[in-house]
Amino acid sequence: MNTDARPTALQDSSNGAEATVAVLVDCDNVPPEILPYALRVAAQFGRVALRRGYGNHTTLANRWQEALVRQAFTPHLQYQYASGKNTADIALALDALEAMFDHRADIFCLVTSDSDFAYLCRKLRERGSRVCIVGEGKTPQALRNASDQFFEWSPAESDPDATTDSAEKAPAKKAQAKPKAAKAEPNKEPAKEPSKDASKLSTKQRPRFVVDAVSLLASESSEGKVGLGALGQYLKRTDPAFSPKTYGHSGLLDMVKTYDLLELKQEAGAGWFVLLADAKGS
């Protein structure tokens, strides 16, 4: 296991500016369900500037089309000039080197389990770039150890039941008899039904991805915590439309306070920090 202790999340740029990240996906080698997890991983290192998916016509047109469009990736279609020759791998490697030499990316996130990319990882690192791999459990040690960090994805990461954690459990629905039609009374307006939008806003929600974000960012910190501001930046990078108001909260601080799995800590002169509840006091 690679234990490189280089600076992480949000601090990788040598001139103090936000680091830029390239996410390059080997679509012929991994399933499209891995993509949201890969973006969450990449967002901890900086702004994801390059999003590209490489594959042949069958892969991009069938399995990957919807995922690439939804996550704003540029598809790079590569035809096979001869049977058994994977031209997509070569295109990915050349584009990675080009992005490095053109200074369009400081950090590379390769989404693949193919050990053929181990040499590319070594060359990028020799030139001073940082490389992380997002792959499946089958990823060979040769590729894992060629990167600065390896992040293992499993199908459980895509389980929709594990992505949300409602702050208030919906009460059990009781069978109700049909209400009798109310008699019309003179000079009295019928009661208005509450709007659906109003009922949505009245219920505060706590999506699971906030806990996942704290877990990921805090694990990269020696103190096991993440600043509230840094957490907000990360959530915005993973989803530009993210807003606590969407989930019924006035702000991120108000939102974090509703989580049983998270703890807030205020430090004089440093602001608010967030950590996992089970890490409190550790």
Side-chain angles (χ1 to χ4, degrees), residues 168-184:
E168 297 176 11
K169 293 184 178 179
K173 292 182 179 179
K174 296 180 180 178
Q176 293 180 351
K178 269 190 175 180
K180 295 180 180 179
K183 292 182 180 179

Side-chain angles (χ1 to χ4, degrees), residues 130-232:
R130 184 173 182 184
V131 181
C132 75
I133 297 291
V134 177
E136 299 177 84
K138 66 182 181 182
T139 305
Q141 287 296 325
L143 182 59
R144 297 176 185 234
N145 293 331
S147 66
D148 289 287
Q149 283 182 282
F150 173 76
F151 297 87
E152 185 174 319
W153 173 84
S154 66
E157 298 285 348
S158 303
D159 183 1
D161 294 332
T163 57
T164 57
D165 178 21
S166 178
E168 297 176 11
K169 293 184 178 179
K173 292 182 179 179
K174 296 180 180 178
Q176 293 180 351
K178 269 190 175 180
K180 295 180 180 179
K183 292 182 180 179
E185 295 182 20
N187 302 325
K188 188 173 182 181
E189 293 184 2
K192 293 182 179 179
E193 292 183 2
S195 68
K196 292 181 180 179
D197 292 338
S199 62
K200 283 183 182 177
L201 291 175
S202 63
T203 303
K204 292 188 176 183
Q205 296 177 322
R206 46 186 186 191
R208 175 73 194 188
F209 64 75
V210 176
V211 177
D212 295 338
V214 174
S215 177
L216 182 64
L217 297 176
S219 68
E220 297 295 330
S221 166
S222 59
E223 299 177 338
K225 61 185 179 182
V226 57
L228 188 66
L231 176 61

